[in-house]
């Protein structure tokens, strides 16, 4: 596609529910990043994929968060037993290779009520 | 402690005036530093990229400087326009850690007529 696409753009869920956030990177980009951005803050690193494998998942806050990229393209960020503190904008970015410019999607705004 | 610190946190200037945003980082070893512009409700978009060997780089009315010895960067905006109102985020790429991007907290700039 022309850019990084994230769906849904907005998601409201009840506390305790499970959610999935999807990221379609730019075609051919091998590196994919997930970030979380709270209101008024800069993005916070969650996980980085190189191809199908998670090269660095040190930013995932706890075991309720999990991300996959089974075919090295689309990635899904999964959050179990959501909490109100999970409310944030979840940003996805991709780059053609490590070290090159990362292009960001518009984010998914998650609200846990 | 955040490895990328930005100042000021927020700034209000009048249209047509100049301003300078600051970024101090401790990320090491350092690969490159980018300034991103993030409009409200959108993902960050890269403005400039600098490697350790570059001291200054311009992109239109935006000029970035880098002092790799003191680990400081600045973004100077000349003749500000209303459309410059956004968050400006300093992002440093770590040469280790899977080329992870480390974000500063951003400076929220508001340009008033």
């Amino acid at each position: 596609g022309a850019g990084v696409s994230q769906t849904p753009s907005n998601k409201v869920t009840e506390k305790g529910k499970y959610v999935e956030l999807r990221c379609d990177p730019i075609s051919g980009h091998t590196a994919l990043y997930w970030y979380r951005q709270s209101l008024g803050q800069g993005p916070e690193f969650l996980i980085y994929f190189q191809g199908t494998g998670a090269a660095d998942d040190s930013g995932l806050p706890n075991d309720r968060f999990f991300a996959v990229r089974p075919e090295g393209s689309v990635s899904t960020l999964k959050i179990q037993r959501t909490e109100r503190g999970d409310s944030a904008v979840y940003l996805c970015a991709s780059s053609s290779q490590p070290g090159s410019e990362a292009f960001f999607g518009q984010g998914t705004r998650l609200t846990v009520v | 402690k955040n490895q990328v610190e930005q100042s000021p946190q927020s700034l209000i200037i009048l249209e047509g005036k100049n301003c300078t945003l600051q970024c101090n980082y401790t990320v090491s070893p350092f690969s490159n530093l980018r300034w991103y512009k993030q409009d409200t409700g959108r993902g960050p978009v890269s403005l400039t990229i600098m490697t350790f060997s570059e001291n200054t780089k311009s992109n239109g009315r935006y000029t970035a400087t880098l002092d790799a010895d003191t680990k400081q960067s600045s973004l100077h905006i000349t003749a500000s326009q209303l459309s410059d109102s956004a968050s400006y985020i300093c992002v440093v790429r770590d040469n280790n850690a899977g080329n992870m991007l480390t974000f500063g907290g951003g400076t929220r700039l508001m340009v008033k007529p």
Side-chain angles (χ1 to χ4, degrees):
Chain A
V4 178
S5 175
Q6 291 187 245
T7 54
S9 54
N10 280 283
K11 176 70 176 178
V12 180
T13 190
E14 291 181 347
K15 179 175 176 293
K17 298 291 187 183
Y18 167 83
V19 296
E20 290 189 352
L21 312 180
R22 176 186 168 108
C23 173
D24 282 81
I26 293 173
S27 179
H29 280 193
T30 59
L32 185 146
Y33 308 81
W34 281 100
Y35 287 82
R36 178 169 69 175
Q37 186 172 27
S38 299
L39 188 64
Q41 305 292 319
E44 174 189 22
F45 171 75
L46 294 177
I47 186 169
Y48 156 62
F49 287 91
Q50 180 57 35
T52 61
D56 185 343
D57 64 357
S58 62
L60 295 177
N62 51 60
D63 61 6
R64 295 187 297 106
F65 287 75
F66 190 70
V68 295
R69 195 186 185 200
E71 297 178 358
S73 177
V74 172
S75 177
T76 304
L77 178 65
K78 308 181 181 191
I79 310 174
Q80 298 178 315
R81 305 184 303 281
T82 52
E83 299 176 357
R84 292 197 178 87
D86 298 335
S87 297
V89 174
Y90 289 81
L91 291 166
C92 175
S94 71
S95 65
S96 59
Q97 56 187 316
S100 60
E101 179 180 354
F103 294 86
F104 284 82
Q106 295 199 9
T108 293
R109 179 175 298 279
L110 175 66
T111 303
V112 182
V113 297
Chain B
K1 178 172 166 57
N2 196 356
Q3 296 186 75
V4 182
E5 300 270 359
Q6 290 188 243
S7 62
Q9 285 190 324
S10 61
L11 182 63
I12 301 174
I13 62 173
L14 293 176
E15 186 179 12
K17 298 296 186 182
N18 304 337
C19 65
T20 300
L21 315 180
Q22 301 289 346
C23 174
N24 295 344
Y25 63 92
T26 59
V27 173
S28 180
F30 162 88
S31 177
N32 60 54
L33 183 149
R34 287 184 188 270
W35 282 92
Y36 279 81
K37 179 185 179 186
Q38 186 175 23
D39 293 311
T40 301
R42 306 188 73 85
V45 175
S46 178
L47 291 174
T48 66
I49 178 174
M50 303 186 74
T51 63
F52 71 91
S53 62
E54 296 177 297
N55 299 120
T56 185
K57 181 171 284 187
S58 291
N59 176 6
R61 293 180 297 103
Y62 302 105
T63 299
T65 66
L66 175 66
D67 185 333
D69 292 329
T70 61
K71 294 184 168 54
Q72 295 180 326
S73 176
S74 67
L75 180 69
H76 186 74
I77 304 175
T78 303
S80 60
Q81 301 176 357
L82 299 179
S83 59
D84 292 333
S85 296
S87 287
Y88 291 84
I89 307 175
C90 175
V91 185
V92 180
R93 187 180 287 274
D94 191 330
N95 218 20
N96 292 328
N99 282 279
M100 188 176 75
L101 302 174
T102 303
F103 284 73
T107 293
R108 282 159 288 289
L109 175 66
M110 181 179 295
V111 180
K112 290 194 168 183

